[in-house]
Short mmCIF file of all heavy atoms in Angstrom, two decimals:
data_model
loop_
_atom_site.label_atom_id
_atom_site.label_comp_id
_atom_site.label_asym_id
_atom_site.label_seq_id
_atom_site.Cartn_x
_atom_site.Cartn_y
_atom_site.Cartn_z
N ASP A 26 22.08 -21.84 20.70
CA ASP A 26 21.53 -20.66 21.41
C ASP A 26 20.41 -20.09 20.56
O ASP A 26 20.39 -18.92 20.27
CB ASP A 26 22.63 -19.64 21.63
CG ASP A 26 22.14 -18.42 22.35
OD1 ASP A 26 21.23 -18.55 23.19
OD2 ASP A 26 22.63 -17.32 22.05
N ASN A 27 19.49 -20.95 20.14
CA ASN A 27 18.52 -20.52 19.15
C ASN A 27 17.12 -20.26 19.70
O ASN A 27 16.21 -20.10 18.94
CB ASN A 27 18.44 -21.55 18.02
CG ASN A 27 18.13 -22.93 18.52
OD1 ASN A 27 17.91 -23.14 19.71
ND2 ASN A 27 18.14 -23.90 17.62
N SER A 28 16.98 -20.25 21.00
CA SER A 28 15.63 -20.14 21.56
C SER A 28 14.94 -18.83 21.15
O SER A 28 13.95 -18.83 20.43
CB SER A 28 15.67 -20.28 23.07
OG SER A 28 16.55 -19.31 23.61
N SER A 29 15.47 -17.71 21.58
CA SER A 29 14.82 -16.44 21.24
C SER A 29 15.55 -15.67 20.18
O SER A 29 14.99 -14.83 19.49
CB SER A 29 14.68 -15.58 22.50
OG SER A 29 15.94 -15.22 22.97
N PHE A 30 16.87 -15.94 20.03
CA PHE A 30 17.64 -15.16 19.07
C PHE A 30 17.19 -15.42 17.63
O PHE A 30 17.12 -14.50 16.84
CB PHE A 30 19.14 -15.49 19.22
CG PHE A 30 19.99 -14.73 18.24
CD1 PHE A 30 20.25 -13.38 18.45
CD2 PHE A 30 20.51 -15.33 17.12
CE1 PHE A 30 21.03 -12.66 17.57
CE2 PHE A 30 21.28 -14.62 16.23
CZ PHE A 30 21.54 -13.28 16.47
N ILE A 31 16.87 -16.67 17.30
CA ILE A 31 16.45 -16.98 15.93
C ILE A 31 15.15 -16.25 15.60
O ILE A 31 15.00 -15.70 14.50
CB ILE A 31 16.27 -18.51 15.76
CG1 ILE A 31 17.60 -19.21 15.85
CG2 ILE A 31 15.58 -18.83 14.44
CD1 ILE A 31 18.54 -18.96 14.70
N GLY A 32 14.21 -16.23 16.52
CA GLY A 32 12.96 -15.50 16.28
C GLY A 32 13.20 -14.01 16.13
O GLY A 32 12.61 -13.36 15.26
N SER A 33 14.08 -13.46 16.95
CA SER A 33 14.42 -12.04 16.86
C SER A 33 15.13 -11.73 15.55
O SER A 33 14.87 -10.71 14.92
CB SER A 33 15.31 -11.61 18.04
OG SER A 33 14.63 -11.77 19.27
N LEU A 34 16.02 -12.62 15.15
CA LEU A 34 16.75 -12.45 13.90
C LEU A 34 15.79 -12.43 12.72
O LEU A 34 15.87 -11.56 11.84
CB LEU A 34 17.79 -13.55 13.73
CG LEU A 34 18.71 -13.46 12.52
CD1 LEU A 34 19.67 -12.28 12.69
CD2 LEU A 34 19.50 -14.74 12.36
N LEU A 35 14.86 -13.37 12.71
CA LEU A 35 13.85 -13.43 11.65
C LEU A 35 12.99 -12.18 11.64
O LEU A 35 12.71 -11.60 10.59
CB LEU A 35 12.98 -14.68 11.83
CG LEU A 35 11.94 -14.97 10.76
CD1 LEU A 35 12.62 -15.24 9.42
CD2 LEU A 35 11.09 -16.14 11.16
N PHE A 36 12.59 -11.71 12.82
CA PHE A 36 11.77 -10.50 12.93
C PHE A 36 12.50 -9.27 12.41
O PHE A 36 11.97 -8.52 11.59
CB PHE A 36 11.34 -10.27 14.39
CG PHE A 36 10.66 -8.96 14.61
CD1 PHE A 36 9.33 -8.79 14.22
CD2 PHE A 36 11.35 -7.88 15.15
CE1 PHE A 36 8.70 -7.55 14.42
CE2 PHE A 36 10.73 -6.66 15.35
CZ PHE A 36 9.40 -6.49 14.98
N TRP A 37 13.72 -9.04 12.88
CA TRP A 37 14.47 -7.83 12.50
C TRP A 37 14.88 -7.83 11.04
O TRP A 37 14.91 -6.80 10.39
CB TRP A 37 15.66 -7.61 13.42
CG TRP A 37 15.22 -7.15 14.77
CD1 TRP A 37 15.24 -7.89 15.92
CD2 TRP A 37 14.63 -5.91 15.12
NE1 TRP A 37 14.70 -7.16 16.96
CE2 TRP A 37 14.34 -5.94 16.50
CE3 TRP A 37 14.33 -4.74 14.40
CZ2 TRP A 37 13.76 -4.86 17.15
CZ3 TRP A 37 13.75 -3.68 15.07
CH2 TRP A 37 13.47 -3.74 16.41
N ALA A 38 15.20 -9.01 10.50
CA ALA A 38 15.53 -9.10 9.08
C ALA A 38 14.31 -8.78 8.23
O ALA A 38 14.40 -8.02 7.26
CB ALA A 38 16.07 -10.50 8.74
N THR A 39 13.17 -9.35 8.59
CA THR A 39 11.94 -9.11 7.85
C THR A 39 11.53 -7.64 7.96
O THR A 39 11.15 -7.01 6.97
CB THR A 39 10.81 -10.01 8.35
OG1 THR A 39 11.23 -11.38 8.22
CG2 THR A 39 9.54 -9.80 7.59
N LEU A 40 11.59 -7.09 9.16
CA LEU A 40 11.21 -5.69 9.36
C LEU A 40 12.11 -4.75 8.58
O LEU A 40 11.64 -3.84 7.88
CB LEU A 40 11.23 -5.33 10.85
CG LEU A 40 10.83 -3.89 11.17
CD1 LEU A 40 9.36 -3.66 10.84
CD2 LEU A 40 11.12 -3.59 12.64
N GLY A 41 13.42 -4.96 8.65
CA GLY A 41 14.36 -4.11 7.93
C GLY A 41 14.15 -4.17 6.43
O GLY A 41 14.13 -3.15 5.74
N ASN A 42 13.98 -5.37 5.90
CA ASN A 42 13.81 -5.54 4.46
C ASN A 42 12.48 -4.97 4.00
O ASN A 42 12.38 -4.35 2.93
CB ASN A 42 13.93 -7.01 4.11
CG ASN A 42 14.57 -7.25 2.78
OD1 ASN A 42 13.93 -7.73 1.86
ND2 ASN A 42 15.85 -6.91 2.66
N THR A 43 11.44 -5.12 4.81
CA THR A 43 10.12 -4.57 4.48
C THR A 43 10.16 -3.05 4.47
O THR A 43 9.65 -2.40 3.55
CB THR A 43 9.06 -5.09 5.46
OG1 THR A 43 9.03 -6.51 5.40
CG2 THR A 43 7.69 -4.54 5.13
N LEU A 44 10.77 -2.46 5.49
CA LEU A 44 10.86 -1.00 5.55
C LEU A 44 11.73 -0.44 4.43
O LEU A 44 11.45 0.64 3.91
CB LEU A 44 11.37 -0.55 6.92
CG LEU A 44 10.43 -0.78 8.09
CD1 LEU A 44 11.08 -0.36 9.40
CD2 LEU A 44 9.09 -0.08 7.89
N GLY A 45 12.76 -1.18 4.04
CA GLY A 45 13.58 -0.74 2.91
C GLY A 45 12.78 -0.74 1.62
O GLY A 45 12.89 0.17 0.80
N SER A 46 11.95 -1.78 1.44
CA SER A 46 11.11 -1.83 0.25
C SER A 46 10.05 -0.74 0.27
O SER A 46 9.70 -0.18 -0.77
CB SER A 46 10.45 -3.19 0.12
OG SER A 46 11.41 -4.19 -0.16
N MET A 47 9.52 -0.44 1.45
CA MET A 47 8.55 0.63 1.54
C MET A 47 9.19 2.00 1.30
O MET A 47 8.53 2.92 0.82
CB MET A 47 7.83 0.60 2.90
CG MET A 47 6.86 -0.56 3.05
SD MET A 47 5.60 -0.66 1.76
CE MET A 47 4.61 0.80 2.12
N THR A 48 10.45 2.13 1.62
CA THR A 48 11.20 3.34 1.27
C THR A 48 11.24 3.51 -0.24
O THR A 48 11.00 4.60 -0.77
CB THR A 48 12.62 3.32 1.86
OG1 THR A 48 12.52 3.19 3.28
CG2 THR A 48 13.37 4.56 1.50
N THR A 49 11.53 2.41 -0.94
CA THR A 49 11.52 2.44 -2.41
C THR A 49 10.13 2.81 -2.90
O THR A 49 9.97 3.58 -3.85
CB THR A 49 11.96 1.08 -2.95
OG1 THR A 49 13.26 0.77 -2.47
CG2 THR A 49 11.96 1.07 -4.48
N TYR A 50 9.10 2.23 -2.28
CA TYR A 50 7.71 2.51 -2.63
C TYR A 50 7.42 4.01 -2.52
O TYR A 50 6.89 4.62 -3.44
CB TYR A 50 6.77 1.71 -1.70
CG TYR A 50 5.32 2.07 -1.81
CD1 TYR A 50 4.48 1.35 -2.63
CD2 TYR A 50 4.77 3.12 -1.07
CE1 TYR A 50 3.14 1.66 -2.75
CE2 TYR A 50 3.42 3.43 -1.17
CZ TYR A 50 2.61 2.70 -1.99
OH TYR A 50 1.29 3.01 -2.09
N PHE A 51 7.78 4.62 -1.39
CA PHE A 51 7.47 6.04 -1.18
C PHE A 51 8.32 6.97 -2.03
O PHE A 51 7.83 8.03 -2.42
CB PHE A 51 7.57 6.39 0.31
CG PHE A 51 6.40 5.87 1.11
CD1 PHE A 51 6.59 4.91 2.09
CD2 PHE A 51 5.12 6.31 0.85
CE1 PHE A 51 5.52 4.42 2.82
CE2 PHE A 51 4.03 5.82 1.56
CZ PHE A 51 4.24 4.87 2.55
N VAL A 52 9.55 6.58 -2.31
CA VAL A 52 10.36 7.41 -3.22
C VAL A 52 9.73 7.39 -4.62
O VAL A 52 9.62 8.43 -5.28
CB VAL A 52 11.82 6.91 -3.26
CG1 VAL A 52 12.59 7.51 -4.41
CG2 VAL A 52 12.51 7.21 -1.93
N ALA A 53 9.32 6.21 -5.06
CA ALA A 53 8.67 6.11 -6.37
C ALA A 53 7.31 6.79 -6.39
O ALA A 53 6.86 7.28 -7.44
CB ALA A 53 8.51 4.63 -6.78
N TYR A 54 6.64 6.87 -5.24
CA TYR A 54 5.36 7.54 -5.14
C TYR A 54 5.50 9.02 -5.46
O TYR A 54 4.56 9.64 -5.98
CB TYR A 54 4.78 7.34 -3.73
CG TYR A 54 3.36 7.78 -3.57
CD1 TYR A 54 2.31 6.90 -3.84
CD2 TYR A 54 3.02 9.07 -3.15
CE1 TYR A 54 1.01 7.28 -3.69
CE2 TYR A 54 1.71 9.46 -3.01
CZ TYR A 54 0.70 8.57 -3.28
OH TYR A 54 -0.62 8.95 -3.14
N LEU A 55 6.66 9.57 -5.17
CA LEU A 55 6.91 11.01 -5.41
C LEU A 55 7.12 11.32 -6.89
O LEU A 55 7.04 12.47 -7.30
CB LEU A 55 8.12 11.46 -4.62
CG LEU A 55 8.00 11.33 -3.09
CD1 LEU A 55 9.32 11.71 -2.44
CD2 LEU A 55 6.85 12.20 -2.57
N ILE A 56 7.39 10.29 -7.70
CA ILE A 56 7.62 10.49 -9.11
C ILE A 56 6.28 10.59 -9.83
O ILE A 56 5.44 9.68 -9.70
CB ILE A 56 8.46 9.35 -9.71
CG1 ILE A 56 9.81 9.28 -9.02
CG2 ILE A 56 8.62 9.51 -11.22
CD1 ILE A 56 10.62 8.06 -9.39
N PRO A 57 6.04 11.64 -10.58
CA PRO A 57 4.75 11.74 -11.28
C PRO A 57 4.62 10.65 -12.35
O PRO A 57 5.60 10.28 -12.98
CB PRO A 57 4.76 13.14 -11.90
CG PRO A 57 6.18 13.57 -11.86
CD PRO A 57 6.89 12.80 -10.81
N PRO A 58 3.42 10.13 -12.52
CA PRO A 58 3.20 9.08 -13.53
C PRO A 58 3.53 9.59 -14.94
O PRO A 58 3.08 10.65 -15.35
CB PRO A 58 1.72 8.74 -13.41
CG PRO A 58 1.31 9.22 -12.06
CD PRO A 58 2.20 10.38 -11.76
N LEU A 59 4.32 8.82 -15.64
CA LEU A 59 4.70 9.10 -17.02
C LEU A 59 4.49 7.84 -17.83
O LEU A 59 4.34 6.76 -17.29
CB LEU A 59 6.17 9.55 -17.11
CG LEU A 59 6.60 10.74 -16.28
CD1 LEU A 59 8.11 10.88 -16.29
CD2 LEU A 59 5.97 12.01 -16.82
N LYS A 60 4.57 7.99 -19.12
CA LYS A 60 4.48 6.80 -19.97
C LYS A 60 5.89 6.40 -20.35
O LYS A 60 6.72 7.23 -20.69
CB LYS A 60 3.66 7.09 -21.23
CG LYS A 60 2.22 7.30 -20.93
CD LYS A 60 1.41 7.23 -22.18
CE LYS A 60 -0.05 7.37 -21.79
NZ LYS A 60 -0.93 6.73 -22.70
N PHE A 61 6.14 5.08 -20.28
CA PHE A 61 7.43 4.54 -20.68
C PHE A 61 7.46 4.40 -22.20
O PHE A 61 6.49 3.98 -22.83
CB PHE A 61 7.68 3.15 -20.08
CG PHE A 61 8.18 3.21 -18.68
CD1 PHE A 61 7.40 2.77 -17.62
CD2 PHE A 61 9.45 3.69 -18.40
CE1 PHE A 61 7.86 2.81 -16.33
CE2 PHE A 61 9.92 3.74 -17.10
CZ PHE A 61 9.13 3.31 -16.08
N ALA A 62 8.58 4.76 -22.78
CA ALA A 62 8.78 4.53 -24.22
C ALA A 62 9.04 3.04 -24.41
O ALA A 62 9.52 2.35 -23.54
CB ALA A 62 9.95 5.35 -24.73
N SER A 63 8.74 2.54 -25.57
CA SER A 63 8.91 1.12 -25.84
C SER A 63 10.39 0.73 -25.89
O SER A 63 10.74 -0.45 -25.85
CB SER A 63 8.23 0.73 -27.15
OG SER A 63 8.80 1.46 -28.20
N SER A 64 11.29 1.70 -25.98
CA SER A 64 12.71 1.39 -26.02
C SER A 64 13.31 1.26 -24.63
O SER A 64 14.51 1.04 -24.51
CB SER A 64 13.44 2.50 -26.78
OG SER A 64 13.32 3.72 -26.08
N GLN A 65 12.52 1.35 -23.57
CA GLN A 65 13.01 1.22 -22.20
C GLN A 65 13.47 -0.21 -21.94
O GLN A 65 13.21 -1.13 -22.70
CB GLN A 65 11.92 1.61 -21.20
CG GLN A 65 11.55 3.06 -21.20
CD GLN A 65 12.65 3.92 -20.58
OE1 GLN A 65 13.43 3.47 -19.77
NE2 GLN A 65 12.72 5.16 -21.02
N ASN A 66 14.14 -0.36 -20.81
CA ASN A 66 14.65 -1.65 -20.37
C ASN A 66 13.54 -2.71 -20.38
O ASN A 66 12.45 -2.48 -19.87
CB ASN A 66 15.24 -1.49 -18.98
CG ASN A 66 15.95 -2.70 -18.49
OD1 ASN A 66 15.80 -3.80 -19.01
ND2 ASN A 66 16.79 -2.50 -17.48
N SER A 67 13.83 -3.89 -20.93
CA SER A 67 12.79 -4.91 -21.06
C SER A 67 12.35 -5.46 -19.71
O SER A 67 11.20 -5.85 -19.54
CB SER A 67 13.28 -6.05 -21.96
OG SER A 67 14.37 -6.71 -21.35
#
């Protein structure tokens, strides 16, 4: 049953994951730029 469902599944998975990443983008956009100390996570 893969005619249209597979395409829809690919579309909604990509859209959801992209919007989730853009949420991370915009949350980080709200953080003012700072300098990382050299002891931060590698």
Side-chain angles (χ1 to χ4, degrees):
D26 179 33
N27 56 3
S28 57
S29 65
F30 180 75
I31 292 291
S33 297
L34 185 68
L35 184 64
F36 172 78
W37 288 108
T39 302
L40 181 67
N42 215 247
T43 301
L44 292 178
S46 292
M47 288 305 292
T48 301
T49 302
Y50 171 94
F51 285 116
V52 167
Y54 190 88
L55 299 175
I56 300 172
L59 303 170
K60 292 195 177 207
F61 278 112
S63 61
S64 63
Q65 291 288 334
N66 188 342
S67 64

